[in-house]
């Protein structure tokens, strides 16, 4: 075990220890007298000394020392009771540390580095041991305190786990702790007086990789849009990489697409996420993918056991998984033997008598009078008790459902089922179409509509052989969902399921039969409810109905079209989150051909919700994730082909239709159906294997292609000529016995049949497991979601850029600040209006491109303080008031949310607008609705600003050449006429005035006073503060005079109109004209502000500014 480093003197130690292995920095030593073939006198003496002199009398016989060349002092860093234990530590040091220590110039630094690393390993091992006994061991609490102290994040930022590791700064490693929380990964190191500290939000992670090379051992590379960081020297790199990937994936699914992707209920509550929860979730997702279970299934027990397999006449070792409604067994070698038992089929779970040959046996009996024997269950009693409890609950639910069902059928007529064939056009076509729309077929379409193919006699013989083979298998081993899925069944499926059994086996292999049995009458009620509705989804379905297998006779007929319409419409009504997605029509068409209509509906449910999760949502995220996984698999499995394609997206893009339609849209019909057989047996793994086999079969021609278009033509031509089997029964049995049918490396077009292709895919790429696919999906989902995020960003910037003068670089940075502010509230302010708006946008059916980030008032105030160019007078209250008025003004739709466009246009006015734009903005901020009623009422009693005294009797000479002296040579004009002449001299004539403020109301006196207060606050702290105050005083006097001169009736008219003495109004044009008379104000408002510097400062302060406020809000809510 690792030890806290302690100094030892080598001079004395050499008498009691013998060095077994050594290098430049480490010694592996054995206690003298231990591990020797015979007990020598020296060993006896040392043993006696250990017992008498040592305080604990238990000195471990092996240890590892850290030795600095030229020093007599060493540090003991590890020890062990056996040589194997200490050898593991030695190998870890040699592999992870020794190579890196050679770069240190100062050897004393080596000691500090290694001691710090060992202490980190000790803390990690201790935490791991204690975590098995309690959720928050002492070491974890200590790490949590350090995490909060170093990074200053709110207490609601839950720390999940931490690892001791190194990050690299050039060629120098920095030893420290990597903290992983629900929203961030953070690293802290303090070594040799130098501190390294940084935080990376999961929302900024765009790629996770395992890399090696240079001075690093294998490392985790975390890439963001700005930079990449490498972390190495983990005690358990696989575990750390898995946890990092899980947390990034969960955070991005929760933040970037909370409504579009399925996320487990536990993970939707970030405060409940722990390392143990992550481990359980990873195992659960693997089990759901392996057995293709409903996404809502919870995993309960996992136990090692052996199951009696009749086909092998022995017990097969593996793992038993129990969920809410299923028992699943998988052999140790994935795919060798799989057993799935729905609890709805289980009659009893009983403990049998334990013997030497059958330790801890359990018998599971099912309705078909079959029994399954499980042995070697370590915690048998607890397992049986748990299963019996769930069985009782399930049986009660079933009996209650049947009782309610009988009550309904007693008062309501049963839904009418019939099968209506139409082979010719009717005179009453409209009435016939109406009947077909509301009739549910009780037979598969293939029973009435056959697809003519050549070689029908040979095919009939083969069909008879396959039917007999499957019947024999059913007779010997039973049928149903709980059928063993073995190598033999795999080969039988690869040879092709007979048409008469295809629908039944599809239902069995997908377990859609369990859904059908547990939901009697559900489909008929959906059809009744959904048919006749008209919306965007039904319009899309109608457009695609006649594009579904248009060459098949079943869909050249109203019967097939009506059945397809009912299935697609019913599913869209069942799952409005998915609704309808292109390619669903193709899948549903194939299902209807071989299964009854209600069965086809449940098969479609199984495919869309379990076997291809997230494939058919608004953005087909699942399919795009698998395309990204496929690219990586091409690089790993077909490296020569990958070398000839600098951009593998060409190959992955053409394969999108392969995945979405399970090859149905690209293969001849009968060959495509065989792929569907294979898919229902193996799930998505079958499509990956087959896609790789197609590329491998055409690797030679793809490598010599001239351009990407030619490569696509090569693949399309190959797939068009993949034929179905024409084998004789004798050849068929030979293929079944051999288990494979090897295909030439580069088959010529027309020489490949589907059996060859499937067999080759299984043989060459059979090592591709569900576990590996799930791990790759977790990593590549990050890249796909971030790619969509980049698209959203590009769309937002493209819409805003033409309307603003802000540079493209600054606009990008502003968008990032805007988005970060949105995320900060989602991190620690879960009651934010933004989160509600995100969910509401999905509920309203908005497309992804229509969705965008929006900020509420609190978030806007935060960004206002970071980016507004004008100081707020040093008083937070004034800044808050102006920010709130700005928010109210920009929120034109009164949704209490601002879009990025609103925000960008406001900033553009402040930083790039001319003087008139800024004055207009200030003018509007002091009119309703920006100026609230409460502010209007308080303005009359406020003494925050004194208006300079104004004399309306003193003439004001403007515009003419005047030295200010009243010499009597020039007759003074009327006071009001002088002001009007001033407006004309300033170029603000009557027509222009109307044009400027035609959409703006006139400003009242108390509103103007508020405007003056705001201007005074803006000047505070400016170097020319005094001159600006004088200038605003002059402008205020001038505007008050203009208001009196241009808007108030004179003399007797005032009394006649009944106007109050204090009421007057002023226009925007008049205020603008007055401002232009003072050059100091003009200079202040036209001063160019440094937006780039302001953005840079905002990036540094954004977290520090918002975190304390949100922490207080969170504490207040609790």
């Amino acid at each position: 075990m690792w030890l806290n480093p302690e100094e030892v003197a080598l001079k004395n130690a050499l008498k009691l220890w013998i060095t077994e292995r050594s290098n430049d920095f480490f010694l592996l030593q054995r206690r003298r007298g231990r591990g020797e073939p015979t007990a020598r006198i020296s060993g006896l003496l040392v043993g006696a000394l250990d017992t008498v002199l040592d305080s604990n009398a238990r000195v471990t016989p092996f240890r590892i020392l850290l030795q600095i060349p030229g020093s007599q002092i060493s540090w003991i860093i590890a020890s062990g009771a056996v040589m194997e234990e200490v050898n593991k530590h030695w190998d870890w040091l040699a592999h992870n540390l020794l190579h890196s220590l050679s770069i240190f110039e100062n050897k004393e630094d080596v000691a500090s580095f290694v001691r710090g690393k060992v202490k980190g390993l000790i803390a990690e091992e201790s935490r791991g041991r204690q975590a098995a006994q309690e959720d928050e061991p002492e070491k974890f609490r200590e790490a949590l305190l350090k995490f909060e102290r170093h990074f200053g994040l709110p207490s609601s930022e839950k720390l999940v786990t931490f690892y001791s590791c190194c990050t690299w700064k050039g060629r120098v490693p920095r030893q420290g702790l990597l903290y992983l929380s629900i929203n961030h990964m953070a690293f802290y190191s303090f070594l040799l007086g130098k501190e390294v500290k940084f935080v990376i939000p999961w929302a900024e992670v765009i790629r996770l990789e395992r890399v090696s090379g240079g001075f690093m051992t294998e490392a985790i590379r975390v890439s963001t849009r700005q930079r990449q960081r490498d972390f190495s020297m983990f005690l358990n790199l696989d575990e750390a990489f898995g946890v990092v990937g899980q947390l990034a994936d969960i955070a991005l699914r929760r933040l970037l697409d909370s409504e579009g992707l399925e996320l487990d209920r536990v993970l939707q509550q970030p405060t409940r996420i722990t390392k143990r929860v992550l481990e359980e979730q990873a195992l659960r997702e693997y089990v759901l993918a392996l057995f293709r279970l409903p996404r809502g299934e919870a995993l309960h027990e996992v136990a090692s056991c052996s199951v009696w397999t009749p086909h092998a006449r022995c017990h097969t070792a593996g793992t038993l998984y129990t969920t809410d409604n299923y028992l699943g067994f998988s052999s140790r070698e994935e795919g060798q033997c799989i057993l799935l038992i729905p609890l709805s089929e289980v009659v009893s779970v009983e403990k049998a008598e334990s013997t030497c040959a059958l330790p801890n046996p359990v018998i599971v009996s099912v309705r078909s009078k079959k029994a399954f024997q499980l042995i070697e269950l370590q915690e048998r009693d607890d397992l049986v008790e748990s299963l019996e409890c769930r069985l009782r609950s399930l049986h009660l639910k079933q009996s209650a459902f049947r009782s309610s069902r009988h009550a309904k059928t007693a008062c309501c007529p049963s839904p009418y089922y019939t099968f209506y064939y139409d082979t010719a056009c009717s005179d009453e076509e409209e009435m016939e179409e109406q009947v077909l729309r509301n009739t549910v077929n009780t037979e598969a379409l293939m029973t009435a509509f056959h697809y003519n193919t050549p070689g029908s006699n040979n095919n009939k013989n083969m069909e008879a052989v396959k039917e007999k083979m499957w019947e024999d298998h059913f007779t010997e081993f039973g049928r149903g969902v709980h059928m063993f899925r073995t190598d033999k069944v795999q080969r039988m499926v690869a040879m092709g399921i007979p048409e008469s059994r295809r629908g039944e086996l599809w239902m069995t292999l997908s377990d859609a039969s369990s859904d059908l049995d547990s939901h009697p009458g559900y489909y008929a009620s959906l059809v009744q409810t959904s048919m006749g509705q008209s919306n965007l989804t039904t319009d899309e379905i109608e457009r695609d109905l006649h594009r579904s297998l248009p060459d098949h006779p079943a869909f050249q007929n109203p019967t097939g079209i009506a059945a397809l319409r009912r299935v697609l419409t019913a599913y869209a009504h069942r799952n409005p989150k998915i609704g309808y997605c292109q390619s669903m029509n193709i899948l549903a068409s194939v299902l209807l051909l071989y299964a009854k209509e209600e069965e086809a509906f449940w098969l479609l449910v199984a495919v869309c919700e379990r076997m291809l999760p997230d494939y058919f949502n608004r953005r087909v995220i699942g399919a795009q994730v698998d395309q990204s996984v496929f690219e990586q698999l091409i690089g790993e499995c077909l490296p020569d082909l990958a070398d000839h394609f600098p951009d593998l997206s060409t190959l992955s893009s053409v394969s999108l239709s392969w995945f979405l339609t399970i090859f149905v849209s690209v293969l001849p019909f009968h060959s495509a159906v065989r792929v569907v057989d294979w898919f229902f047996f193996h799930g998505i793994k079958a499509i990956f294997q087959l896609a790789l086999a197609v590329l491998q079969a055409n690797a030679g021609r793809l490598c010599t292609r001239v351009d990407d278009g030619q490569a696509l033509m090569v693949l399309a031509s190959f797939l068009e000529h993949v034929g179905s089997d024409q084998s004789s029964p004798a050849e068929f049995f030979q293929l079944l016995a051999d288990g494979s049918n090897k295909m030439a490396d580069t088959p010529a077009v027309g020489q490949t049949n589907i059996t060859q292709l499937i067999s080759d895919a299984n043989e060459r790429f059979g090592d591709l497991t569900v576990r590996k696919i799930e791990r790759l999906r977790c990593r590549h989902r990050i890249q796909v979601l971030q790619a969509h995020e980049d698209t959203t960003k590009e769309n937002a910037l493209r819409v805003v850029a033409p309307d603003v003068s802000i540079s493209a670089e600054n606009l990008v940075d502003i968008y990032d600040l805007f988005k970060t502010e949105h995320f900060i509230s989602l991190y620690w302010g879960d009651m934010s209006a933004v989160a509600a708006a995100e969910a509401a946008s999905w509920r309203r059916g908005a497309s992804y491109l229509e969705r965008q980030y929006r900020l509420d008032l609190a978030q806007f105030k935060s960004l206002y303080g970071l980016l507004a160019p004008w100081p707020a007078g040093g008083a937070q209250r004034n800044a808050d008031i102006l920010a709130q008025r700005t928010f109210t003004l920009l929120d034109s739709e009164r949704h209490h949310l601002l879009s990025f466009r609103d925000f960008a246009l406001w900033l553009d006015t402040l930083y790039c607008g001319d003087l008139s734009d800024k004055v207009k903005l200030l003018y509007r901020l002091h009119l309703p609705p920006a100026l609230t009623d409460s502010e209007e009422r308080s303005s009359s009693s406020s003494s925050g600003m004194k208006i300079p005294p104004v004399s309306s009797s003193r003439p004001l000479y403007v515009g003419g050449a005047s030295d200010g002296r009243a010499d009597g040579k020039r007759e003074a004009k009327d006071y009001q006429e002088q002001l009007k002449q001033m407006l004309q001299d300033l170029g603000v004539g009557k027509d222009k005035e109307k044009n400027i403020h035609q959409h703006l109301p006139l400003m009242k006196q108390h509103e103007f006073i508020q405007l003056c207060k705001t201007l005074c606050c803006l000047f505070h702290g400016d170097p020319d503060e005094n001159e600006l105050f004088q200038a605003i005083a002059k402008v205020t006097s001038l505007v008050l005079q203009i208001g009196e001169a241009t808007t108030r009736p004179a003399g007797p008219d005032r009394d006649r109109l009944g106007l109050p003495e204090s009421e007057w109004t002023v226009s925007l044009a008049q205020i603008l004209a007055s401002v232009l008379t003072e050059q100091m104000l003009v200079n202040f408002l036209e001063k160019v502000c440094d937006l780039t510097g302001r953005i840079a400062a905002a990036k540094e302060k954004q977290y520090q500014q918002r975190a304390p406020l949100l922490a207080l809000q969170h504490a207040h809510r609790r």
Side-chain angles (χ1 to χ4, degrees), residues 966-984:
D967 53 4
K969 296 182 180 179
R970 181 174 180 178
E971 183 180 355
K973 297 182 179 179
D974 182 79
Y975 175 65
Q976 295 180 6
E977 294 297 326
Q978 292 183 52
L979 293 177
K980 291 180 182 179
Q981 182 62 41
M982 183 196 73
L983 292 176
Q984 294 175 1

Side-chain angles (χ1 to χ4, degrees), residues 871-881 1017 1020:
Q876 186 62 38
R877 181 176 179 275
N878 292 328
D880 287 343
I881 291 174
C1017 292
H1020 185 80

Side-chain angles (χ1 to χ4, degrees), residues 767-783:
D767 58 346
L768 178 62
T769 63
V770 173
R771 190 182 298 275
K772 180 175 182 179
I773 291 173
E774 286 302 303
R775 288 175 177 171
L776 291 176
R777 279 175 165 177
C778 181
R779 288 167 49 194
H780 287 271
R781 192 181 293 113
I782 297 170
Q783 300 176 32

Side-chain angles (χ1 to χ4, degrees), residues 151-156 184 817-835 854-866 876 880 1097-1114 1117:
F151 303 103
L153 299 177
S155 59
S156 56
H184 304 83
L817 288 170
F818 190 88
K819 184 177 73 170
T820 300
E821 193 64 36
H822 168 90
F823 283 153
I824 287 175
S825 289
L826 292 184
Y827 295 157
W828 308 308
D830 53 352
M831 301 301 291
S832 170
V834 180
R854 293 179 171 86
L855 300 186
D856 61 12
L857 176 59
Q859 296 162 333
F860 175 77
K861 283 184 176 181
S862 174
L863 286 184
Y864 183 95
L866 291 170
Q876 186 62 38
D880 287 343
K1099 289 180 179 180
E1100 297 294 329
K1101 298 177 182 177
Q1102 191 171 26
Y1103 262 60
Q1104 289 78 3
Q1105 177 172 297
R1106 284 284 278 164
L1109 176 61
L1110 288 170
L1112 290 174
Q1113 293 174 350
H1114 182 77
R1117 285 197 300 270

Side-chain angles (χ1 to χ4, degrees), residues 572-588:
H573 190 76
R574 163 191 164 84
N575 192 343
K577 184 181 290 188
I578 291 178
Y580 170 76
C581 179
Q582 284 188 346
S583 76
M584 288 173 63
N585 59 320
I586 298 175
L587 295 178

Side-chain angles (χ1 to χ4, degrees), residues 246 249 253 281-290 295 334 610-611 613 625-626 629 684-685 688 768-781:
Q246 273 187 282
D249 176 48
R253 282 195 282 175
Q281 183 66 17
L283 181 58
R284 174 183 172 273
E285 290 184 355
Y286 165 69
V287 172
L288 296 185
L290 179 64
R295 309 305 292 176
E334 183 183 294
R610 292 194 273 122
M611 302 185 74
V625 170
D626 282 350
V629 171
I684 190 60
K685 180 174 72 172
F688 278 113
L768 178 62
T769 63
V770 173
R771 190 182 298 275
K772 180 175 182 179
I773 291 173
E774 286 302 303
R775 288 175 177 171
L776 291 176
R777 279 175 165 177
C778 181
R779 288 167 49 194
H780 287 271
R781 192 181 293 113

Side-chain angles (χ1 to χ4, degrees), residues 37-52:
T38 59
R40 300 177 181 177
I41 186 65
S42 59
L44 295 175
L45 289 173
V46 171
L49 286 172
D50 289 343
T51 304
V52 174

Side-chain angles (χ1 to χ4, degrees), residues 889 916-928 930-931 996-997 999-1004 1007-1008 1011 1015 1065-1072:
L889 177 64
S916 61
D917 294 329
K918 296 175 183 178
V919 172
K920 182 178 179 181
L921 173 62
L922 290 170
Y923 182 88
R924 295 179 64 197
L925 288 176
H926 296 81
L927 296 176
L931 187 70
I996 290 177
H997 68 277
H999 299 299
L1000 295 177
L1002 298 176
M1003 179 175 283
K1004 299 176 183 178
E1007 295 167 347
F1008 175 69
L1011 173 60
L1015 288 173
T1065 58
V1066 67
S1067 69
L1068 169 63
Q1070 293 166 340
I1071 292 177
L1072 179 59

